[in-house]
Every structure is written in C-alpha cells, then in structure tokens.
Amino acid sequence: KRGHDDRRPESREERALQARAEVETSADAGALAAEAPYHVSPERARAIDLEWNQELPQPPQDQVVAPPPAWRPAAQAEVAAAPEISDVWPNKGPEAGGDVVLIKGKNLGASQVLFGMAPARIIEASADAVKVAAPGAGAGEVAVVVTNADGAYAIATHAFRYYR
C-alpha cells in the first residue's frame, strides 16, 4: 500500500522523487528516521534534504579541491649513485603472477619495483639484489623498473615475459 496519496506518479521525476522519499528528516531528533515507505509529493520531497542530517552543515558544493603536489623524494633521502639492473631471473612467469623474481644489479636500494605498470611486492632488498613477488598481468613482455628512495630509477626494457 502506498499510503495516504493513492495517485499514480505521472512523470519520471515524480517517480524518482517518490522512490527517494522512503525516509524523512526527523525535526525533533535531528537525524534520519527510517520509517515504512510512504508517498511524498514532489514539492515536499524537494523541501526535505534527504541526504544530510540537520545537525551537520552541508559542505559547499562549489569548492574544488586542488590536486596533490607532484611526488618528490623525501628531503632526508640522500642522493646516491643511479641504480643499474644487470639481470632479471626468471625472466618469464604466468599471467597470474606470484612467482618470486630476483633482480640483480648495482645500487638497488629499492623502495618500489614495477612490472610494466603493476607494483611488485618486495620480499627482500639489498644494494646488489632485490627479491620480489611478480604481480599479475596480461600475456606479453613488460619492462621492470626499480626505484630507490631518492627517486633515482633503472629500467630494464622487455625484461620479463608473462605467459598464459
């Protein structure tokens, strides 16, 4: 039963407003009170703010939040020699990922390792080797990128191949 007003909503707007009118702001408690669904006229539904509690001010709708600043290495990060990748073993793995991959090279104080655009979970890292769990990806070759805490990075193009 739809309630006290048995007229059928005529427009799509009225039907949408009727569907949203399942709760009404409770004036005495200042909170949304869940009640049995009932029909509310479109005029009444426009007057009731169904999304906000009366105790909470509505945030300004025209305020645009600025994007965050570009990533920069931490000020305390020391600039070290650029990393170099000499070997990626094994150089292939299943699309599902999860295989342990050893990346060898110089100056590999890795804080991030990417296989293509997917981040790998670092298991163990030292200056001359990084052990990671390969992330999942589609079949094909991807570059391996090792980034140090100071922002310096090394790229090994076509270093890893995913297979089905």
Side-chain angles (χ1 to χ4, degrees):
K1 192 170 184 177
R2 282 188 285 169
H4 65 347
D5 188 357
D6 287 336
R7 73 180 182 87
R8 189 170 188 89
E10 296 175 13
S11 70
R12 185 179 357 189
E13 179 185 21
E14 286 181 336
R15 286 191 301 272
L17 289 171
Q18 180 180 353
R20 288 186 61 195
E22 293 182 4
V23 295
E24 183 176 358
T25 304
S26 172
D28 58 325
L32 292 177
E35 297 178 7
Y38 60 94
H39 178 76
V40 174
S41 70
E43 295 79 24
R44 178 71 179 135
R46 284 186 197 98
I48 300 171
D49 186 353
L50 296 175
E51 296 178 15
W52 296 98
N53 183 313
Q54 288 181 349
E55 293 175 4
L56 298 174
Q58 206 171 51
Q61 301 297 314
D62 57 349
Q63 182 180 0
V64 178
V65 177
W71 180 84
R72 302 242 189 275
Q76 68 272 16
E78 296 179 15
V79 178
E84 296 176 25
I85 298 173
S86 60
D87 188 34
V88 176
W89 185 86
N91 62 355
K92 60 186 171 188
E95 287 182 319
D99 284 4
V100 175
V101 177
L102 181 64
I103 303 166
K104 292 182 181 180
K106 296 179 186 175
N107 309 315
L108 298 177
S111 63
Q112 182 183 50
V113 176
L114 297 174
F115 280 57
M117 296 299 288
R121 184 174 56 86
I122 297 174
I123 299 170
E124 197 176 310
S126 68
D128 59 351
V130 181
K131 190 184 291 187
V132 298
E141 290 185 341
V142 296
V144 174
V145 182
V146 176
T147 306
N148 290 346
D150 65 358
Y153 61 92
I155 302 174
T157 57
H158 308 291
F160 193 82
R161 186 173 55 84
Y162 284 99
Y163 58 83
R164 292 186 182 182

